[in-house]
Amino acid sequence: RAKLASVRAKEAKKQLEKQIKAEEAKAKAEEKKASDAKKAAEKEKKRLVAEAKKQKEIEKKTAEQKKKSDAKARKEDEKKKKEERKQADVTAKKIKEQKGKVDKAMGEVTGLKKKQEGVTKELAKVNGELAKFSAKFDKLDTELTAAQGANDMKKQDKLLKDIEKVEKEVSKMEATQAKFKKSVSEIQKQIEGKMKGVAGEEA
């Protein structure tokens, strides 16, 4: 028993020593961490102080440059205003003449835009009809495939005739669509031409 107690005591001592070493290592690590943080803080403080000093110098230099620049700008502005007053009288006369031309052109543009809107609405209707015919064609095509699969010759003939009718209608609609598109494009060219003339007058 005495031997067993001695062994246990030694083990406990080893365990305690191990724990103490671990605690010491941890304490050293924390100390190093704190030291590193302090060094980093001091370094950052120095950087901020240097940066503030540099910024102050820049601000001083900028203020001096601004003072010179403002004086120059004031002189140039006075010269510019004098020239502008001289040009204003000439421009006023020119604007009055241009206004008459612009008003006339803008009136024509408004008329063309209304015409274009009307054509665009008709084009939208045609597009809607084409979409319906497209759906109808798809349905007939599906039915034809089914009839071919069932070898129903009578139904195939009927469906082929129906498809031919749809194709003719689509062809007519596409011709109308192309006509409307061309019309919209031509009106747009006229509008752009008028607006270009207006821009030329306003320039």
Side-chain angles (χ1 to χ4, degrees), residues 44-149:
E44 180 63 12
K45 186 183 175 184
K46 283 180 183 178
R47 187 188 71 79
L48 289 170
V49 168
E51 197 175 286
K53 191 179 177 183
K54 189 179 177 182
Q55 187 62 32
K56 199 173 179 182
E57 287 172 2
I58 290 168
E59 285 170 4
K60 188 183 175 184
K61 193 175 180 182
T62 303
E64 288 171 359
Q65 287 175 340
K66 189 180 182 299
K67 194 178 176 182
K68 288 178 184 177
S69 178
D70 287 350
K72 188 181 178 183
R74 273 196 302 274
K75 195 176 180 181
E76 286 176 358
D77 190 50
E78 284 167 10
K79 188 181 176 183
K80 188 181 175 184
K81 280 179 181 176
K82 192 178 178 182
E83 185 63 31
E84 281 173 357
R85 281 193 295 271
K86 190 180 175 183
Q87 289 294 323
D89 295 335
V90 178
T91 305
K93 191 180 176 183
K94 191 179 177 183
I95 286 170
K96 194 176 179 181
E97 291 171 0
Q98 287 173 335
K99 192 179 182 298
K101 293 177 185 178
V102 169
D103 288 348
K104 186 185 174 186
M106 288 308 292
E108 290 170 358
V109 167
T110 301
L112 286 167
K113 281 184 177 177
K114 282 180 182 176
K115 187 179 176 183
Q116 190 182 46
E117 281 171 15
V119 177
T120 303
K121 281 178 185 176
E122 291 299 319
L123 179 60
K125 286 179 188 175
V126 171
N127 288 340
E129 288 298 316
L130 276 171
K132 287 177 187 175
F133 276 116
S134 178
K136 192 174 180 182
F137 183 84
D138 289 343
K139 187 184 174 188
L140 288 169
D141 189 48
T142 303
E143 288 177 10
L144 179 62
T145 303
Q148 286 171 340

